[in-house]
Amino acid sequence: MGKTTLVLILLASVLIPTHILSGEDSVKTLEPEVNDVGLSIGQVPPAFILPDLYTGELVSLSDFLGKKTAFFMWASW
Amino acid sequence: MVVIAQDAQGAEVASPWVEKAGGTYRALLDQHNAIGKAYNVKFVPVGIFVDEEGRLVRSVGSVNIDNGTLREELVEWITSGAVPSAWRDADKGAKPRVLTADEQEADTKFQRAIVLLKQGKREDAIAELKRAYVLDPKNWLIRKQLWAIENPGMFYDGKVDYRWQKEQMARENEELKK
C-alpha cells in the first residue's frame, strides 16, 4: 500500500459520520441512484400529522405556516 | 428547523441521538413511514424546506447540515426570501405519485411488522420485513430497518459498520436475483 492510499483511507475514516445530521450519507454510499425526492419547487407538500419525539404532542405540517421551516428526515439506523 | 426521525422502533431508539446532538430544535417521530409514503422518499437523510405560505422551496436527498454551501444557501433564503439559484437549477420538477401495487404491499407488511414489534414478537416482525423488502428492494426505509432490527449490534453499538452494510446488501442482491 502506497503512502497516498494510506492517507486517503485515513481521510475517509475521518469523514464517517458520528452525528445524526452530519457527515457522509450511508444510503448514498450504498446506492447513489436512489437519491431522489418526489417533490418540486412551488408545490404544497403532502400534509402530515406526527407526534413530538418527547411529548407525543401531535404536530401538523400546517402548524408551521407563517414561518420558513427546514425539515430534516433522519433515522437512528 | 424540525427533525423527523424515521424509526419503526420508536422514540426509544431515536431520542438518544437527538439528546447526544444537544438539539434544541423540534423533534418529531415518524414511526409508520408516513413521510416516506406521502413524499415518495425511500431513504434518509432528506431535507424539505418550506416557505411561509407552505410551499416547497427545496427537497434534497443526502442532505448534510454541516455542508458550508447548504448553510450559505439556507441563510440566503431565510434572510432575503429569494430561492437560491442552485436550488432552482437542481429542481427536477418531480410530482408526487401513487404507490405501485408492490410498494403498497411492501408498506402493508412494514406496518404489520411494526405492530408485531410492539407486541414483542421480534422474530415474526423480522420475517414480515423480509417479505416486505423483496417487494420494494430500493426502499431503504424498509430494508435498512430490517437490518437494524435483525442486527442491532451493527447499528447501535458505537460506530455504524458500513462495511457490514455493503456486504449485507451484496448478499441480499444475490438473493433477489434468484
Side-chain angles (χ1 to χ4, degrees):
Chain A
M1 192 192 296
K3 213 178 238 177
T4 315
T5 319
L6 183 63
V7 169
L8 283 174
I9 288 170
L10 287 172
L11 271 175
S13 67
V14 170
L15 293 172
I16 289 171
T18 52
H19 174 290
I20 56 166
L21 293 173
S22 74
E24 193 182 0
D25 160 39
S26 58
V27 171
K28 188 178 156 198
T29 316
L30 293 169
E31 288 271 293
E33 78 270 22
V34 299
N35 186 359
D36 219 0
V37 180
L39 292 173
S40 184
I41 291 177
Q43 289 173 358
V44 176
F48 63 75
I49 299 174
L50 294 170
D52 185 281
L53 184 61
Y54 295 100
T55 65
E57 177 200 353
L58 292 177
V59 178
S60 154
L61 175 60
S62 58
D63 292 344
F64 300 96
L65 281 174
K67 283 182 279 193
K68 290 190 183 76
T69 309
F71 297 93
F72 291 93
M73 287 72 174
W74 69 282
S76 68
W77 37 272
Chain B
M1 175 165 153
V2 179
V3 297
I4 306 178
Q6 308 295 316
D7 268 297
Q9 296 177 89
E12 196 183 317
V13 292
S15 55
W17 292 86
V18 180
E19 280 155 24
K20 200 175 160 195
T24 53
Y25 32 76
R26 185 111 213 202
L28 306 181
L29 173 65
D30 181 7
Q31 195 166 9
H32 296 273
N33 201 5
I35 297 272
K37 274 192 287 180
Y39 286 39
N40 188 16
V41 166
K42 296 191 176 192
F43 57 93
V44 287
V46 167
I48 305 281
F49 308 157
V50 179
D51 70 14
E52 295 90 333
E53 287 158 12
R55 294 192 184 279
L56 186 99
V57 294
R58 178 76 164 133
S59 63
V60 53
S62 308
V63 66
N64 177 1
I65 193 64
D66 286 341
N67 179 291
T69 308
L70 177 80
R71 282 174 176 257
E72 281 166 25
E73 290 164 352
L74 271 168
V75 169
E76 179 189 340
W77 172 54
I78 290 163
T79 52
S80 77
V83 179
S85 57
W87 294 2
R88 294 202 174 278
D89 293 345
D91 190 53
K92 290 183 182 143
K95 291 190 173 68
R97 61 173 178 83
V98 292
L99 302 187
T100 66
D102 277 353
E103 286 170 335
Q104 187 65 60
E105 185 58 27
D107 178 65
T108 303
K109 293 183 188 308
F110 177 77
Q111 304 299 340
R112 203 177 292 147
I114 297 169
V115 174
L116 290 165
L117 266 185
K118 283 182 181 168
Q119 293 170 346
K121 297 174 182 167
R122 185 173 163 273
E123 294 308 316
D124 293 340
I126 289 168
E128 200 66 37
L129 286 168
K130 284 186 174 170
R131 288 189 282 270
Y133 101 83
V134 295
L135 290 164
D136 193 4
K138 290 201 170 176
N139 192 332
W140 296 97
L141 298 175
I142 294 175
R143 193 162 166 183
K144 284 188 71 179
Q145 297 210 77
L146 161 63
W147 298 356
I149 291 164
E150 192 175 25
N151 309 279
M154 297 298 175
F155 290 83
Y156 297 110
D157 293 342
K159 271 194 168 176
V160 176
D161 190 336
Y162 291 112
R163 180 191 294 267
W164 178 86
Q165 291 192 14
K166 283 185 178 168
E167 288 165 0
Q168 178 69 5
M169 183 176 68
R171 280 190 292 270
E172 287 181 351
N173 286 346
E174 281 306 309
E175 286 295 311
L176 287 167
K177 278 184 204 162
K178 289 174 190 168

mmCIF file of all heavy atoms in Angstrom, chain B residues 132-147:
data_model
loop_
_atom_site.group_PDB
_atom_site.id
_atom_site.type_symbol
_atom_site.label_atom_id
_atom_site.label_comp_id
_atom_site.label_asym_id
_atom_site.label_seq_id
_atom_site.Cartn_x
_atom_site.Cartn_y
_atom_site.Cartn_z
ATOM 1 N N ALA B 132 -41.357 -7.910 3.090
ATOM 2 C CA ALA B 132 -41.603 -6.544 2.615
ATOM 3 C C ALA B 132 -40.488 -6.058 1.683
ATOM 4 O O ALA B 132 -40.758 -5.527 0.603
ATOM 5 C CB ALA B 132 -41.753 -5.592 3.792
ATOM 6 N N TYR B 133 -39.237 -6.273 2.075
ATOM 7 C CA TYR B 133 -38.152 -5.632 1.320
ATOM 8 C C TYR B 133 -38.000 -6.208 -0.090
ATOM 9 O O TYR B 133 -37.615 -5.481 -1.020
ATOM 10 C CB TYR B 133 -36.828 -5.646 2.110
ATOM 11 C CG TYR B 133 -35.837 -6.706 1.687
ATOM 12 C CD1 TYR B 133 -34.979 -6.479 0.594
ATOM 13 C CD2 TYR B 133 -35.744 -7.899 2.355
ATOM 14 C CE1 TYR B 133 -34.071 -7.448 0.190
ATOM 15 C CE2 TYR B 133 -34.838 -8.869 1.961
ATOM 16 C CZ TYR B 133 -34.013 -8.643 0.875
ATOM 17 O OH TYR B 133 -33.129 -9.594 0.478
ATOM 18 N N VAL B 134 -38.332 -7.493 -0.259
ATOM 19 C CA VAL B 134 -38.177 -8.058 -1.607
ATOM 20 C C VAL B 134 -39.197 -7.456 -2.584
ATOM 21 O O VAL B 134 -38.974 -7.450 -3.790
ATOM 22 C CB VAL B 134 -38.298 -9.608 -1.620
ATOM 23 C CG1 VAL B 134 -37.166 -10.240 -0.846
ATOM 24 C CG2 VAL B 134 -39.634 -10.086 -1.091
ATOM 25 N N LEU B 135 -40.310 -6.923 -2.051
ATOM 26 C CA LEU B 135 -41.304 -6.284 -2.912
ATOM 27 C C LEU B 135 -40.883 -4.873 -3.313
ATOM 28 O O LEU B 135 -41.362 -4.331 -4.307
ATOM 29 C CB LEU B 135 -42.654 -6.209 -2.176
ATOM 30 C CG LEU B 135 -43.362 -7.549 -1.962
ATOM 31 C CD1 LEU B 135 -44.446 -7.409 -0.907
ATOM 32 C CD2 LEU B 135 -43.960 -8.037 -3.279
ATOM 33 N N ASP B 136 -40.017 -4.277 -2.501
ATOM 34 C CA ASP B 136 -39.612 -2.887 -2.739
ATOM 35 C C ASP B 136 -38.149 -2.733 -2.325
ATOM 36 O O ASP B 136 -37.828 -2.015 -1.381
ATOM 37 C CB ASP B 136 -40.536 -1.958 -1.913
ATOM 38 C CG ASP B 136 -40.412 -0.506 -2.315
ATOM 39 O OD1 ASP B 136 -39.668 -0.206 -3.275
ATOM 40 O OD2 ASP B 136 -41.057 0.333 -1.667
ATOM 41 N N PRO B 137 -37.253 -3.428 -3.061
ATOM 42 C CA PRO B 137 -35.862 -3.523 -2.581
ATOM 43 C C PRO B 137 -35.109 -2.195 -2.551
ATOM 44 O O PRO B 137 -34.099 -2.085 -1.858
ATOM 45 C CB PRO B 137 -35.209 -4.506 -3.557
ATOM 46 C CG PRO B 137 -36.121 -4.591 -4.724
ATOM 47 C CD PRO B 137 -37.491 -4.249 -4.249
ATOM 48 N N LYS B 138 -35.579 -1.197 -3.283
ATOM 49 C CA LYS B 138 -34.878 0.087 -3.235
ATOM 50 C C LYS B 138 -35.414 0.996 -2.140
ATOM 51 O O LYS B 138 -34.989 2.150 -2.022
ATOM 52 C CB LYS B 138 -34.964 0.777 -4.593
ATOM 53 C CG LYS B 138 -34.130 0.038 -5.623
ATOM 54 C CD LYS B 138 -33.760 0.883 -6.802
ATOM 55 C CE LYS B 138 -32.731 0.132 -7.629
ATOM 56 N NZ LYS B 138 -32.391 0.858 -8.850
ATOM 57 N N ASN B 139 -36.356 0.488 -1.378
ATOM 58 C CA ASN B 139 -36.869 1.264 -0.251
ATOM 59 C C ASN B 139 -36.001 1.015 0.973
ATOM 60 O O ASN B 139 -36.188 0.056 1.711
ATOM 61 C CB ASN B 139 -38.324 0.902 0.037
ATOM 62 C CG ASN B 139 -38.950 1.891 1.007
ATOM 63 O OD1 ASN B 139 -38.253 2.485 1.824
ATOM 64 N ND2 ASN B 139 -40.245 2.081 0.887
ATOM 65 N N TRP B 140 -35.035 1.915 1.175
ATOM 66 C CA TRP B 140 -34.073 1.739 2.273
ATOM 67 C C TRP B 140 -34.715 1.985 3.621
ATOM 68 O O TRP B 140 -34.192 1.553 4.644
ATOM 69 C CB TRP B 140 -32.853 2.630 2.028
ATOM 70 C CG TRP B 140 -32.172 2.173 0.792
ATOM 71 C CD1 TRP B 140 -32.318 2.697 -0.468
ATOM 72 C CD2 TRP B 140 -31.330 1.017 0.656
ATOM 73 N NE1 TRP B 140 -31.602 1.943 -1.375
ATOM 74 C CE2 TRP B 140 -30.981 0.926 -0.713
ATOM 75 C CE3 TRP B 140 -30.831 0.081 1.550
ATOM 76 C CZ2 TRP B 140 -30.162 -0.105 -1.195
ATOM 77 C CZ3 TRP B 140 -30.014 -0.931 1.072
ATOM 78 C CH2 TRP B 140 -29.684 -1.007 -0.283
ATOM 79 N N LEU B 141 -35.852 2.689 3.637
ATOM 80 C CA LEU B 141 -36.562 2.891 4.900
ATOM 81 C C LEU B 141 -37.067 1.555 5.444
ATOM 82 O O LEU B 141 -37.194 1.369 6.638
ATOM 83 C CB LEU B 141 -37.740 3.861 4.707
ATOM 84 C CG LEU B 141 -37.382 5.278 4.263
ATOM 85 C CD1 LEU B 141 -38.625 6.086 3.987
ATOM 86 C CD2 LEU B 141 -36.525 5.968 5.313
ATOM 87 N N ILE B 142 -37.369 0.632 4.533
ATOM 88 C CA ILE B 142 -37.773 -0.712 4.943
ATOM 89 C C ILE B 142 -36.545 -1.595 5.116
ATOM 90 O O ILE B 142 -36.337 -2.235 6.143
ATOM 91 C CB ILE B 142 -38.736 -1.341 3.906
ATOM 92 C CG1 ILE B 142 -40.057 -0.556 3.865
ATOM 93 C CG2 ILE B 142 -38.978 -2.819 4.225
ATOM 94 C CD1 ILE B 142 -41.028 -1.029 2.777
ATOM 95 N N ARG B 143 -35.702 -1.590 4.098
ATOM 96 C CA ARG B 143 -34.607 -2.569 4.041
ATOM 97 C C ARG B 143 -33.591 -2.379 5.168
ATOM 98 O O ARG B 143 -33.174 -3.334 5.824
ATOM 99 C CB ARG B 143 -33.938 -2.440 2.677
ATOM 100 C CG ARG B 143 -33.012 -3.571 2.348
ATOM 101 C CD ARG B 143 -32.756 -3.599 0.851
ATOM 102 N NE ARG B 143 -31.645 -4.447 0.521
ATOM 103 C CZ ARG B 143 -31.179 -4.600 -0.721
ATOM 104 N NH1 ARG B 143 -31.764 -3.957 -1.724
ATOM 105 N NH2 ARG B 143 -30.155 -5.388 -0.964
ATOM 106 N N LYS B 144 -33.200 -1.116 5.391
ATOM 107 C CA LYS B 144 -32.189 -0.905 6.428
ATOM 108 C C LYS B 144 -32.775 -1.035 7.827
ATOM 109 O O LYS B 144 -32.063 -1.355 8.775
ATOM 110 C CB LYS B 144 -31.510 0.454 6.243
ATOM 111 C CG LYS B 144 -30.501 0.418 5.088
ATOM 112 C CD LYS B 144 -29.673 1.662 5.001
ATOM 113 C CE LYS B 144 -28.686 1.768 6.130
ATOM 114 N NZ LYS B 144 -27.859 2.998 6.006
ATOM 115 N N GLN B 145 -34.078 -0.807 7.950
ATOM 116 C CA GLN B 145 -34.677 -1.017 9.274
ATOM 117 C C GLN B 145 -34.745 -2.508 9.587
ATOM 118 O O GLN B 145 -34.605 -2.919 10.733
ATOM 119 C CB GLN B 145 -36.049 -0.359 9.360
ATOM 120 C CG GLN B 145 -35.932 1.141 9.194
ATOM 121 C CD GLN B 145 -36.995 1.915 9.928
ATOM 122 O OE1 GLN B 145 -36.915 2.079 11.145
ATOM 123 N NE2 GLN B 145 -37.972 2.396 9.202
ATOM 124 N N LEU B 146 -34.952 -3.309 8.539
ATOM 125 C CA LEU B 146 -34.862 -4.761 8.726
ATOM 126 C C LEU B 146 -33.470 -5.119 9.260
ATOM 127 O O LEU B 146 -33.326 -5.858 10.239
ATOM 128 C CB LEU B 146 -35.136 -5.483 7.401
ATOM 129 C CG LEU B 146 -34.667 -6.937 7.295
ATOM 130 C CD1 LEU B 146 -35.385 -7.825 8.308
ATOM 131 C CD2 LEU B 146 -34.904 -7.476 5.885
ATOM 132 N N TRP B 147 -32.449 -4.561 8.616
ATOM 133 C CA TRP B 147 -31.069 -4.832 9.053
ATOM 134 C C TRP B 147 -30.882 -4.424 10.518
ATOM 135 O O TRP B 147 -30.274 -5.145 11.305
ATOM 136 C CB TRP B 147 -30.057 -4.055 8.206
ATOM 137 C CG TRP B 147 -30.042 -4.388 6.754
ATOM 138 C CD1 TRP B 147 -30.784 -5.357 6.122
ATOM 139 C CD2 TRP B 147 -29.249 -3.767 5.749
ATOM 140 N NE1 TRP B 147 -30.496 -5.355 4.785
ATOM 141 C CE2 TRP B 147 -29.563 -4.393 4.522
ATOM 142 C CE3 TRP B 147 -28.316 -2.734 5.772
ATOM 143 C CZ2 TRP B 147 -28.968 -4.015 3.319
ATOM 144 C CZ3 TRP B 147 -27.713 -2.359 4.581
ATOM 145 C CH2 TRP B 147 -28.032 -2.998 3.358
#
